[in-house]
Amino acid sequence: MDGNGRWAKQRGKERIFGHENGVQAVRETVEAAGEIGVKHLTFYAFSTENWCRPKSEVNTLMELLVNAIKNETPELLEKGVKLNAIGDIDSLPEACIKELKEAIEITKNNTRLTVTVALSYSSQWEIVNAVKQIARKVKENKIDPENIDKNLFKQFLQTHGIPDPDLLIRTSGELRISNFMLWQIAYSELYFTPVMWPDFRKKHLYQAILDYQRRERRFGKT
Ligand code: IPE
Ligand code: MG
């Protein structure tokens, strides 16, 4: 989700106005994905690097997050959405952790669509964290280094249990990955759109999926 700040500036408003309006785009995307049978949807909401933004922006983003979870949980329940989170969740403010854990618990038996929010997430953090866990197990003689392969490694990533993304969408015209699921997107299809995140609507998700459907995925084969 990118472009909230620029969207607000274009309207002569503070950046946070863009974040506030980004919530509606999340709502629509979840709804659209559920309707067309997407099983997994991940939102990159806050990166490890985003902690370096001005304190006031970080605080407001965290408040928005708490409120969004609080307000949307009944809707998620009704729509059969299971909420999940990846990232360094313990680094979030206490109130966020509490709301998040509650919402995850309340929606845990839903099966229609799993929505994962990446919070205080970065792929390099995730990979280093996986290496650390594996190293510990090697030290405790629980893993033989000879048995480390990509399937074992995957088990230690935050995304264990979630399939690798088929399609990655980045809004706002930036042509970057910005530390998102570097391992998992090895064979993902990438889609970049100039639409700013607060303007992202169901039709934009459909456009991205239609584009994806025209592609031939070869996974390195012929
Ligand atoms: C995306 O919008 C939201 C977050 C990263 C939290 P930005 O805040 O990155 O908006 P721009 O890129 O400055 O326009
Ligand atoms: Mg940005």
Side-chain angles (χ1 to χ4, degrees):
M1 300 182 279
D2 200 12
N4 294 355
R6 278 163 286 160
W7 183 90
K9 287 288 165 199
Q10 284 163 2
R11 285 158 180 76
K13 307 270 193 188
E14 294 302 316
R15 294 176 53 81
I16 202 67
F17 182 66
H19 298 315
E20 285 162 2
N21 280 274
V23 178
Q24 182 58 26
V26 175
R27 222 177 265 134
E28 288 229 3
T29 308
V30 171
E31 202 174 288
E35 282 165 3
I36 59 175
V38 171
K39 298 306 285 180
H40 290 272
L41 183 65
T42 303
F43 292 98
Y44 194 9
F46 195 84
S47 73
T48 309
E49 289 75 24
N50 285 153
W51 288 114
C52 300
R53 290 189 178 194
K55 207 169 174 243
S56 60
E57 182 171 340
V58 171
N59 289 344
T60 320
L61 269 170
M62 292 299 157
E63 266 169 46
L64 258 177
L65 182 70
V66 174
N67 291 333
I69 301 168
K70 219 184 273 179
N71 297 335
E72 302 302 322
T73 305
E75 189 84 10
L76 296 180
L77 255 184
E78 195 191 299
K79 295 214 157 75
V81 176
K82 175 177 171 163
L83 188 70
N84 179 36
I86 57 171
D88 188 7
I89 303 306
D90 292 337
S91 70
L92 299 172
E94 206 62 56
C96 285
I97 300 176
K98 185 175 161 277
E99 287 303 329
L100 201 56
K101 287 196 171 153
E102 270 175 32
I104 290 171
E105 176 62 27
I106 294 171
T107 61
K108 72 176 180 198
N109 294 321
N110 288 347
T111 55
R112 188 168 182 210
L113 165 68
T114 301
V115 169
T116 300
V117 274
L119 290 167
S120 192
Y121 172 87
S122 74
S123 195
Q124 290 173 340
W125 168 83
E126 174 186 43
I127 291 170
V128 170
N129 191 46
V131 169
K132 233 186 248 176
Q133 292 178 63
I134 294 170
R136 250 182 240 129
K137 294 208 184 284
V138 167
K139 204 172 156 190
E140 296 162 1
N141 285 320
K142 286 181 180 149
I143 290 177
D144 177 352
E146 287 312 311
N147 293 335
I148 300 174
D149 61 6
K150 68 178 184 186
N151 287 325
L152 181 137
F153 191 77
K154 269 168 78 164
Q155 305 301 316
F156 291 88
L157 293 173
Q158 298 280 303
T159 49
H160 63 91
I162 306 174
D164 290 342
D166 291 314
L167 173 63
L168 181 149
I169 301 171
R170 182 173 186 150
T171 57
S172 89
E174 303 293 3
L175 307 178
R176 288 190 286 276
I177 302 300
S178 301
N179 223 340
F180 182 71
M181 291 197 187
L182 300 178
W183 171 282
Q184 298 89 334
I185 62 166
Y187 282 99
S188 298
E189 295 294 328
L190 309 181
Y191 180 86
F192 297 96
T193 167
V195 175
M196 297 291 172
W197 180 251
D199 287 331
F200 197 86
R201 291 294 175 268
K202 287 186 180 186
K203 67 169 182 193
H204 299 114
L205 181 72
Y206 300 153
Q207 280 164 5
I209 293 175
L210 284 170
D211 193 281
Y212 168 84
Q213 287 175 332
R214 281 197 296 270
R215 302 184 189 187
E216 187 194 23
R217 302 183 77 190
R218 288 190 293 275
F219 299 95
K221 297 163 193 143
T222 54

